[in-house]
């Protein structure tokens, strides 16, 4: 199991720490990209460099990310192997001159991490592409996979392929295009040809759709935090949350709002 091997290397002498981290939304694409790229770096970096994927959320919030937990549980990757943002002091490492950062899924740090900008050595994010001509903006997972296939194809295992394919399919699913772009189809075909025992795409998509929309185990606060996005201009910070609901609930809320609004006219 690649995550287990990665975290067993914590005992290395810490000359340098190379952290791979995504945005606070901690979506499946960014998380799988961080895991995979940290694994790749761990294999190719010189001795004395500890390469770690860091989830950019507190550990207590991990339960909100149902589709992410599903993929990891499917592959028996224990939550105990993950490192969360509240468990590592990146600012101290940076002050000591030990920190390097690769950003995945975003080209900017969270507002509270702006002092770490000097430590950023690489950005892997679709927004870094000139994507105007793409049918479908590539996922970070596909960008990481392309680099892995180019630089160290021998590191690609069936477990990694399962993670990356699930992430790419989920990204496509949430973007809701009519069909996969040619580029995405090509990269998935590479995985499926190399590992023919991967589950059918339809099965993965069906389960991911179910887990993404499921909020049965979450309370109201957790539902609001699950898909929380943060926008900031450096001074003002705005939080935007997405809540899934069926048409019946949406109509009921609409009429309730309309009724209460009429009372104050």
């Amino acid at each position: 199991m690649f995550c287990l091997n990665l975290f067993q290397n914590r005992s290395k002498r810490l000359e340098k720490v190379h952290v791979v981290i995504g945005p606070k939304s901690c979506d499946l694409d960014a998380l799988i990209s961080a895991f995979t790229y940290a694994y790749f770096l761990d294999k190719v970096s010189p001795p004395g460099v500890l390469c770690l994927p860091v989830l950019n959320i507190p550990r207590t919030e991990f339960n909100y990310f149902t589709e992410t937990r599903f993929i990891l549980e499917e592959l028996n990757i224990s939550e105990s192997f993950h490192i969360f943002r509240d468990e590592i002091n990146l600012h101290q490492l940076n002050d000591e001159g030990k920190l390097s950062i690769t950003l995945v899924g975003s080209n900017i740090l969270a507002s509270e991490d702006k002092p770490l900008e000097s430590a950023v050595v690489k950005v892997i994010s679709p927004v870094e592409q000139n994507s105007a001509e793409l049918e479908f903006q590539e996922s970070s997972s596909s960008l990481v996979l392309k680099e892995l296939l180019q630089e160290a194809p021998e590191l690609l295992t069936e477990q990694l392929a399962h993670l990356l394919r699930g992430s790419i399919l989920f990204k496509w699913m949430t973007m809701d295009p009519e069909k996969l772009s040619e580029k995405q189809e090509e990269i998935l075909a590479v995985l499926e040809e190399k590992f023919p025992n991967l589950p059918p795409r339809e099965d993965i998509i069906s389960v991911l759709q179910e887990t993404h929309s499921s909020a049965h185990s979450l309370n109201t606060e957790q539902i609001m935090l699950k898909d929380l996005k943060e926008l900031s201009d450096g001074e003002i910070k705005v939080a935007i949350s997405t809540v899934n609901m069926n048409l019946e609930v949406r109509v009921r809320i609409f009429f309730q709002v309309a009724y209460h609004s009429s009372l104050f006219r």
Side-chain angles (χ1 to χ4, degrees):
M1 182 182 295
F2 79 89
C3 282
L4 178 58
N5 293 335
L6 188 63
F7 284 91
Q8 283 175 338
N9 287 333
R10 284 175 170 173
S11 58
K12 284 183 179 178
R13 187 163 63 90
L14 297 183
E15 296 176 5
K16 289 284 185 179
V17 178
H18 193 145
V19 165
V20 185
I21 191 168
K24 279 189 168 183
S25 59
C26 200
D27 58 87
L28 185 63
D29 181 37
L31 183 141
I32 298 304
S33 300
F35 278 0
T36 305
Y37 202 71
Y39 166 68
F40 164 69
L41 288 176
D42 186 68
K43 297 299 184 183
V44 301
S45 295
V49 179
L50 180 63
C51 303
L52 297 174
V54 174
L55 282 67
N56 204 0
I57 54 171
R59 181 176 290 274
T60 54
E61 294 182 8
F62 190 57
N63 283 340
Y64 311 163
F65 301 93
T66 49
E67 62 279 350
T68 302
R69 288 167 51 217
F70 162 74
I71 285 283
L72 298 179
E73 288 169 3
E74 276 282 292
L75 297 172
N76 296 317
I77 299 175
S78 171
E79 182 182 332
S80 63
F81 295 147
H82 310 334
I83 297 178
F84 293 84
R85 184 62 184 86
D86 57 338
E87 297 172 339
I88 183 169
N89 192 333
L90 299 183
H91 291 269
Q92 179 180 338
L93 289 170
N94 191 47
D95 291 342
E96 295 172 355
K98 294 182 176 180
L99 183 65
S100 297
I101 296 175
T102 291
L103 295 177
V104 293
S106 175
N107 61 347
I108 56 174
L109 289 161
S111 54
E112 63 268 25
D113 287 333
K114 289 295 184 183
L116 303 178
E117 285 183 341
S118 61
V120 176
V121 296
K122 188 178 180 69
V123 174
I124 303 174
S125 173
V127 298
E128 289 296 288
Q129 306 173 81
N130 181 12
S131 57
E133 298 180 358
L134 292 180
E135 300 173 51
F136 162 60
Q137 190 180 62
E138 285 194 90
S139 63
S140 299
S141 296
S142 63
L143 297 177
V144 168
L145 175 57
K146 286 178 180 179
E147 184 167 344
L148 185 63
L149 288 171
Q150 182 177 348
E151 300 294 335
E154 70 280 2
L155 296 180
L156 186 60
T157 64
E158 185 167 334
Q159 185 186 43
L160 263 182
H162 191 15
L163 283 172
L164 290 163
R165 191 178 70 141
S167 176
I168 293 168
L169 287 172
F170 184 73
K171 178 76 171 182
W172 162 75
M173 185 185 82
T174 55
M175 295 292 288
D176 198 29
E178 293 185 2
K179 63 177 182 178
L180 281 165
S181 71
E182 185 176 338
K183 289 179 179 290
Q184 297 298 291
E185 189 64 58
E186 287 176 0
I187 200 73
L188 289 174
V190 170
L191 292 177
E192 290 162 353
E193 181 178 351
K194 189 174 181 66
F195 301 102
N197 292 326
L198 289 172
R201 292 186 193 181
E202 295 76 14
D203 292 353
I204 297 298
I205 292 171
S206 176
V207 176
L208 285 173
Q209 285 175 329
E210 182 179 344
T211 55
H212 181 62
S213 60
S214 174
H216 296 160
S217 61
L218 304 180
N219 60 36
T220 302
E221 180 182 0
Q222 291 171 335
I223 292 172
M224 296 295 291
L225 289 171
K226 182 177 184 294
D227 288 312
L228 187 69
K229 304 293 189 297
E230 175 191 304
L231 299 175
S232 175
D233 63 359
E235 295 182 1
I236 300 175
K237 186 183 296 185
V238 178
I240 302 173
S241 185
T242 302
V243 178
N244 293 307
M245 63 181 71
N246 60 36
L247 181 60
E248 180 183 351
V249 173
R250 188 176 302 177
V251 170
R252 186 165 66 247
I253 291 174
F254 171 79
F255 282 111
Q256 286 176 344
V257 171
Y259 170 74
H260 287 292
S261 297
S262 67
L263 296 178
F264 294 95
R265 289 178 181 172

